[in-house]
Amino acid sequence: MNEADVKKLNAEILRASKLLKQGQRSEALIIYGDVTERAGLHASLNFELGQLCQQIGDIDQAVMHFRVAADVAPGNSQYAAMLGIAYLNAEEFESARESLEQALESNPDVSEVQHGLGVYYMKRADYESAIDYLERACQLRPRDANIRTNLTTTLIQLNRHDEALAHAQKAVKLDDSHPMAQLALSKTLAEVGDVPAAVKQLELAVRKNPTYGGTYDLLARMKKFSAEDATFMGKTEKLLDRGMPPKERCAIHYALGKMHDDCAKYDKAFAHFDQANLLQKKPYDIDRDKRLLKGMLKVFTSSALNRGAPIGDPTSVPVFVVGMPRSGTTLMERIIASHSQGAGAGELPAIPYTASVIFGDYLSGKSISTVKQQMDPEKLREYADRYLDILRQGRIGADRIVDKMPGNFLFVGLIKTFFPNATIINAVRHPLDVALSCYFQNFSDLRWANDFKLIAQIYAIYRRAMDYWASVLPEGSILDVQYEQLVEDPEHHARRMIEACGLDWEPSVLEFFRKKGVVRTASIAQSRNPIYTTSKMRWMNYAKHLGPVAADLAPYLESSRDMLLKEGIELPSSGWLKRMLR
C-alpha cells in the first residue's frame, strides 16, 4: 500500500471519529467496515482503527486491531502499550501486564506505557505502585486529561484528597469537554463531602457532552429528582432517539429509571431499567460460581478451619463486610470507618483475585488436589502479607480497616485461613430488595445482575455459603447485621459492629456522613447523608413485576409469604419449597 492510500484511509478514519462525536453512529460504522477491509495488515492503520474502535465502544475489535499493529511492528512500544491498555479494558489483566512490560523494556519514556501500567496496578488495587507510573506518565505528558483523571482516582484511594482535587481541576481545565475528566472532578467533590458542587459539575458536563451516558447515570445517583426536574427528564428521554453506542444508551436508561423512581413513577422506572439490562446483558457462566463454592466447601472443612495452630497472620486489622451487593455493605463500612481507630478500603479485588490463582486449575476442570497443593503454609503467609500491604495503603495508622467487597462471602474460609482473628460481618437484606436493587444498578462488572434468574441463583449460592461458614466456624465468628434493623435502630446495631471489631464505643460513628474519606459505592450521595429508611421494602413499589423472581427466591421468602400475597405475589406451596431445598 502506497503512502497516498494510507493518507486517504487515515482521513476516512478521522471522518468516522468526527461522525461519532456528532452522534452519527451508523455512518461511522459503515466507514469503519470499509477501511478495515482495505487496511489489511498495515500496522499504523490498524493502530488508528484500534483507537476508533475504542471510541465506538467495541473493546474486542480494538484488541484485534492493536494486536495486528503490535505483531507487524514488534519494536513499536506505543503499539504494544495501546494493546496492553485495550487488554485492560477487556479485563484480560495478565495479557495486559505482559504487553505493557514488554513495551516498558523497549522504551520506558513512552507515556502510554507508564499510563497503562498505572491503570493495571489501579485495577489490582495496588495504588502505591500505580501512583509511581501515573506520576511518570504525567511528567511525560502533562497536558493529558486522561492521565490526570486516573491520577485523581488513585490519589483519592490513598487519601491524598487535596492533590486529587488539584489534578481533577487541572484535567477539566485542559479539556472541559472530556467526559471522564468531568466525572472524575464530580466524584472527587462528592467523595470529599461536597455533593452540591459535584451535582453542579455534572450539570455542566451534560451541557458540554450531551450524549455521554455515564454523566446522566452519575447525576441520577448524586441527586434526588422531583417533579421540578420534568423538563430535564423530558430532554433526557428525547436523547434516546439519537444514534449512540449501546453503552451510552444503556447508562441513560439506568439514569432515567432512577429519576422516575425518585418521582414515584414506578412503571416508567421499571421499563427503563428493563431496557438498560437488556442492552447490557451478556452470557454468564453460573456453573463456575457453583463449582467454586463446591471447591471451597471441600477444602475449608471444619477440621481444616479449626486446626490447633493457625497458619495465617494473627493480626486483627482486617474487617470484612460480606453479603450480596446492595445489601448495606457501604453503610456498615462507613460506620466502622468513622471510628477514630477505623478506616475503609472500599471493595478490594485482592481476595477474589488470590482465590482465582489458588483455585484456577480446579475451575479449569482439574481435581481438588491441585488446590491443596497451593495451600502450602509459606505461600499462604505470602498471600496474607501481600493483602495486608494493599489493605494498609493510605491507611497506615488505622487499627481496623474494612474491606467491603460483597462477593467475599464465597471466600470466608480462605479469609479465616489467612487471618484467623479477622472480623467478619454479614450484611443481610430482604431478598427481593436485594434482587431489585441489583437489577436497578449499572453493574458493568457483574454480568449476573442483568438477569433476575441469575440474581436468584447467586442469592442461593450466597445463602448456602454463609450457612456453611456458620456451621463450620466457631460460634460468634460471623456477625449477621440485618440492614432493615440497622436503619431502624442505628445505635444498637452500630454498637454490635464496633464491639465485634474489638473497639470501644464512640457515638461519633453515627455521624459517618460528616467524615471526609473515600466513598466508592453505587450510592455516593446516600453515604454523605444521615441514615435513611426509604429503601426498606422497596420491592412493594414494583410488586407487579416481581412474580417470577419471587418464585425463584421462594425458599428464602417464607417469612414474607403473607405480605407478598397482599401485594399480589403468590409463592409455591411450602411442601414444594422443602423439596426444592433438598
Side-chain angles (χ1 to χ4, degrees):
M1 188 178 297
N2 61 44
E3 191 175 334
D5 289 337
V6 172
K7 211 170 186 178
K8 283 179 186 177
L9 292 178
N10 271 323
E12 286 294 282
I13 293 170
L14 183 62
R15 186 161 74 91
S17 177
K18 288 179 180 177
L19 286 169
L20 283 170
K21 289 176 182 175
Q22 295 164 5
Q24 299 179 54
R25 182 176 172 80
S26 299
E27 293 87 339
L29 288 173
I30 290 169
I31 294 171
Y32 163 71
D34 180 56
V35 174
T36 299
E37 192 174 322
R38 294 159 62 191
L41 298 178
H42 193 280
S44 69
L45 286 174
N46 273 280
F47 178 74
E48 296 299 332
L49 285 166
Q51 293 184 307
L52 180 64
C53 284
Q54 288 183 321
Q55 190 180 350
I56 290 168
D58 192 333
I59 296 170
D60 293 338
Q61 287 298 106
V63 168
M64 185 271 290
H65 286 296
F66 287 132
R67 190 189 294 128
V68 169
D71 287 346
V72 173
N76 190 308
S77 56
Q78 189 179 28
Y79 293 176
M82 290 306 295
L83 174 60
I85 290 169
Y87 276 132
L88 283 175
N89 292 332
E91 297 186 357
E92 295 182 38
F93 297 120
E94 291 314 302
S95 295
R97 182 183 56 78
E98 288 173 13
S99 290
L100 291 165
E101 287 181 350
Q102 177 187 339
L104 186 70
E105 286 180 15
S106 174
N107 187 351
D109 292 329
V110 173
S111 64
E112 289 89 350
V113 176
Q114 299 288 342
H115 188 199
L117 282 165
V119 174
Y120 168 79
Y121 284 107
M122 282 175 67
K123 297 276 189 183
R124 295 265 72 89
D126 186 350
Y127 298 106
E128 288 182 350
S129 296
I131 203 74
D132 293 337
Y133 289 106
L134 293 171
E135 286 179 340
R136 178 63 181 140
C138 196
Q139 289 170 0
L140 290 166
R141 191 174 288 182
R143 300 187 61 79
D144 190 308
N146 275 324
I147 294 170
R148 288 187 184 272
T149 296
N150 285 319
L151 252 177
T152 298
T153 301
T154 302
L155 288 164
I156 278 285
Q157 291 289 351
L158 294 172
N159 291 316
R160 293 161 61 178
H161 303 97
D162 294 340
E163 293 173 77
L165 193 56
H167 277 290
Q169 289 168 336
K170 180 69 173 176
V172 170
K173 190 176 180 181
L174 286 168
D175 185 355
D176 66 357
S177 64
H178 191 296
M180 294 306 293
Q182 293 277 10
L183 261 62
L185 178 54
S186 302
K187 287 179 181 178
T188 304
L189 289 166
E191 287 163 358
V192 298
D194 195 350
V195 174
V199 169
K200 283 185 181 178
Q201 189 64 41
L202 286 168
E203 290 170 344
L204 174 64
V206 163
R207 292 194 291 274
K208 288 282 184 182
N209 205 327
T211 58
Y212 187 75
T215 309
Y216 296 89
D217 192 21
L218 186 58
L219 179 60
R221 290 192 274 130
M222 291 273 191
K223 175 181 172 178
K224 175 80 171 177
F225 280 75
S226 67
E228 294 177 3
D229 298 298
T231 301
F232 177 81
M233 290 167 65
K235 288 180 179 177
T236 306
E237 295 266 10
K238 286 181 181 176
L239 275 177
L240 296 169
D241 296 333
R242 299 174 64 171
M244 65 183 76
K247 183 181 177 182
E248 312 308 332
R249 186 177 298 279
C250 172
I252 290 172
H253 275 300
Y254 274 116
L256 283 165
K258 164 63 166 56
M259 294 174 196
H260 285 300
D261 180 83
D262 284 348
C263 297
K265 295 179 179 177
Y266 300 120
D267 286 343
K268 280 189 174 182
F270 194 86
H272 278 293
F273 286 128
D274 237 6
Q275 283 299 310
N277 281 285
L278 283 170
L279 283 166
Q280 192 152 260
K281 193 172 181 180
K282 292 179 181 176
Y284 184 78
D285 183 9
I286 192 70
D287 290 333
R288 186 181 186 278
D289 295 89
K290 293 176 180 177
R291 182 168 173 80
L292 182 56
L293 176 60
K294 186 178 178 182
M296 289 287 165
L297 272 52
K298 283 183 176 180
V299 171
F300 299 106
T301 60
S302 178
S303 59
L305 291 170
N306 296 287
R307 68 185 72 202
I311 58 175
D313 191 304
T315 179
S316 299
V317 170
V319 177
F320 295 89
V321 179
V322 305
M324 285 291 287
R326 312 294 290 148
S327 60
T329 55
T330 297
L331 174 58
M332 295 172 200
E333 178 205 35
R334 293 295 289 165
I335 288 171
I336 299 166
S338 295
H339 194 281
S340 61
Q341 295 171 263
E347 299 177 2
L348 296 179
I351 293 293
Y353 174 74
T354 302
S356 72
V357 172
I358 295 172
F359 282 78
D361 287 340
Y362 172 71
L363 290 172
S364 299
K366 295 184 180 177
S367 75
I368 201 67
S369 62
T370 60
V371 175
K372 292 176 180 176
Q373 290 166 12
Q374 293 279 338
M375 300 291 286
D376 173 77
E378 189 174 336
K379 276 188 179 180
L380 292 175
R381 281 191 286 272
E382 285 177 12
Y383 289 135
D385 289 345
R386 182 68 187 125
Y387 175 82
L388 286 175
D389 286 344
I390 290 173
L391 185 71
R392 289 189 170 117
Q393 289 184 7
R395 297 166 283 271
I396 294 296
D399 292 331
R400 298 291 183 275
I401 306 174
V402 183
D403 178 348
K404 71 176 191 74
M405 175 63 79
N408 280 339
F409 67 78
L410 273 171
F411 313 119
V412 170
L414 185 63
I415 288 167
K416 278 295 189 179
T417 303
F418 287 158
F419 309 111
N421 296 320
T423 304
I424 310 285
I425 297 173
N426 177 28
V428 183
R429 190 180 180 191
H430 191 283
L432 282 180
D433 277 334
V434 167
L436 196 69
S437 199
C438 285
Y439 195 69
F440 284 3
Q441 186 57 47
N442 188 0
F443 283 131
S444 57
D445 56 339
L446 295 180
R447 292 186 177 182
W448 53 261
N450 304 122
D451 186 321
F452 274 130
K453 278 199 167 297
L454 287 172
I455 292 171
Q457 290 183 71
I458 291 289
Y459 186 86
I461 290 170
Y462 153 68
R463 287 290 293 266
R464 187 181 172 204
M466 294 312 299
D467 287 347
Y468 177 78
W469 302 130
S471 73
V472 295
L473 288 169
E475 189 174 351
S477 296
I478 300 171
L479 177 69
D480 292 334
V481 179
Q482 186 79 35
Y483 170 77
E484 291 83 359
Q485 294 173 6
L486 174 60
V487 299
E488 283 295 339
D489 190 353
E491 181 173 338
H492 173 70
H493 294 285
R495 281 181 179 275
R496 292 175 63 225
M497 289 191 288
I498 297 300
E499 183 182 353
C501 293
L503 301 174
D504 293 331
W505 173 249
E506 292 179 357
S508 60
V509 301
L510 297 175
E511 297 189 334
F512 60 86
F513 50 91
R514 300 188 193 280
K515 184 174 180 179
K516 189 177 184 180
V518 180
V519 181
R520 288 283 168 199
T521 173
S523 321
I524 292 171
Q526 291 171 355
S527 69
R528 294 303 184 192
N529 289 313
I531 291 172
Y532 63 99
T533 60
T534 52
S535 288
K536 277 181 61 181
M537 298 303 166
R538 184 187 186 192
W539 64 266
M540 292 172 128
N541 299 323
Y542 295 92
K544 67 163 76 172
H545 304 286
L546 300 180
V549 70
D552 290 337
L553 288 168
Y556 314 103
L557 293 171
E558 192 61 32
S559 63
S560 301
R561 179 179 287 274
D562 293 341
M563 192 187 305
L564 288 162
L565 196 56
K566 285 179 184 176
E567 298 299 323
I569 299 175
E570 187 172 356
L571 295 179
S573 68
S574 56
W576 178 84
L577 291 178
K578 286 177 183 176
R579 290 193 298 274
M580 184 177 174
L581 283 168
R582 280 175 190 164

